[in-house]
Amino acid sequence: EKNITLDRATGIELSCRLDNKYSHLKSLQVTWKKGNETIRYINKTESSWSIQLRILDNSMLGSYSCTLKGKEEIGAMFHLQVPKIEGREKPIVSYEGDTAVMMCKSFGYTPIAWTWYKTNGSEQIAINDSLLADKYVINRISANVTHLKILKLTKEDDGVYWCEAAFELGKSKGKLKLKVLSLMVPLKPFLAIVAEVVILVTIVFLYEMYSKKKEKCAEDEKEFDQIEQL
């Protein structure tokens, strides 16, 4: 299998060449397909079969395969695709009131345009920073890099975001996830420790009070015994 990345209209030749270890195979039946549709191959030599394609739009992208049938059946697969966009696998974690910055890159290929989306249920809503300038800032750092800055984070900003790069042959998306935490989250361990200290101090204080009270009762009882003896 081979992945072939294309961002613009171009001519391409796909070739299946028989490895030397299969040189014993004779009278081979060769079939080229795009998906499940059989296509005609153009060039043929003793041990290779090729097709020439003119990729003009994204309808011509997809999987192409060549299959050689004889005593054995062997084949190869070519995946023609637009450039992949790098998002981020791990969630971006921030707190309410802070600012979050998300970034997407396109390696080796320059998009015509970038668009950012936020997932709302099953729908993806485009982010318009010109209408919501006090909330979103979109910066195209370079032709291959885009940043989305989200200001004054709230719990509503928590969720999945997508960056979409448009190329001449189609569009490609990168996925990012933002996790917005309440300010109480980092305070919880501290508050738990404080609560434990308060409980411990209270127990010690009550024990001291109880011990003193017991000692006083013992002294009063001893004094009463002495008076009684007198």
Side-chain angles (χ1 to χ4, degrees):
E1 290 196 40
K2 186 173 184 179
N3 293 325
I4 300 172
T5 300
L6 302 169
D7 66 330
R8 64 190 66 190
T10 186
I12 189 171
E13 181 179 81
L14 305 180
S15 179
C16 283
R17 186 168 53 254
L18 198 62
D19 192 276
N20 290 333
K21 66 180 179 180
Y22 295 110
S23 59
H24 62 283
L25 296 177
K26 304 296 181 184
S27 303
L28 292 169
Q29 180 185 349
V30 181
T31 306
W32 274 95
K33 287 186 177 183
K34 179 185 183 298
N36 296 319
E37 179 186 351
T38 301
I39 53 179
R40 189 169 61 92
Y41 63 90
I42 306 297
N43 300 325
K44 176 184 175 182
T45 67
E46 187 176 342
S47 60
S48 70
W49 298 262
S50 302
I51 56 172
Q52 291 181 338
L53 304 170
R54 184 69 184 167
I55 309 297
L56 301 175
D57 55 48
N58 61 3
S59 67
M60 299 192 70
L61 299 176
S63 297
Y64 291 78
S65 63
C66 65
T67 306
L68 284 63
K69 289 183 180 179
K71 290 183 179 179
E72 301 176 43
E73 182 175 312
I74 53 178
M77 183 79 73
F78 303 86
H79 302 288
L80 275 58
Q81 58 193 18
V82 292
K84 289 186 177 181
I85 301 303
E86 180 183 310
R88 181 186 171 101
E89 290 184 10
K90 294 182 179 180
I92 298 166
V93 179
S94 194
Y95 295 96
E96 289 180 316
D98 286 351
T99 296
V101 179
M102 290 180 278
M103 179 179 69
C104 282
K105 293 181 181 179
S106 169
F107 289 103
Y109 299 89
T110 303
I112 299 168
W114 288 96
T115 307
W116 283 91
Y117 296 89
K118 184 180 187 303
T119 300
N120 185 7
S122 59
E123 192 179 4
Q124 290 182 3
I125 301 172
I127 294 172
N128 192 327
D129 61 332
S130 61
L131 295 178
L132 296 168
D134 59 337
K135 185 64 179 176
Y136 300 109
V137 178
I138 297 175
N139 293 323
R140 188 164 178 172
I141 305 302
S142 67
N144 294 34
V145 182
T146 179
H147 280 184
L148 171 65
K149 184 185 290 186
I150 306 175
L151 310 172
K152 301 173 187 174
L153 290 173
T154 65
K155 288 297 289 182
E156 285 69 32
D157 296 316
D158 191 289
V160 176
Y161 291 78
W162 298 85
C163 57
E164 182 183 81
F167 299 95
E168 187 178 318
L169 284 179
K171 297 176 179 179
S172 184
K173 288 184 178 181
K175 183 180 179 181
L176 304 98
K177 190 172 183 180
L178 175 63
K179 187 72 177 173
V180 180
L181 302 178
S182 168
L183 288 172
M184 288 300 293
V185 172
L187 289 175
K188 281 181 180 178
F190 172 74
L191 293 175
I193 293 170
V194 170
E196 288 177 5
V197 171
V198 169
I199 292 170
L200 183 61
V201 169
T202 303
I203 291 171
V204 171
F205 176 74
L206 291 174
Y207 179 76
E208 288 291 329
M209 291 286 291
Y210 173 75
S211 298
K212 286 181 179 180
K213 188 175 180 181
K214 193 174 181 181
E215 286 177 9
K216 190 175 185 304
C217 288
E219 287 176 2
D220 290 346
E221 188 177 342
K222 186 177 179 183
E223 187 179 346
F224 177 78
D225 289 343
Q226 287 176 347
I227 291 170
E228 195 175 49
Q229 285 177 7
L230 289 170

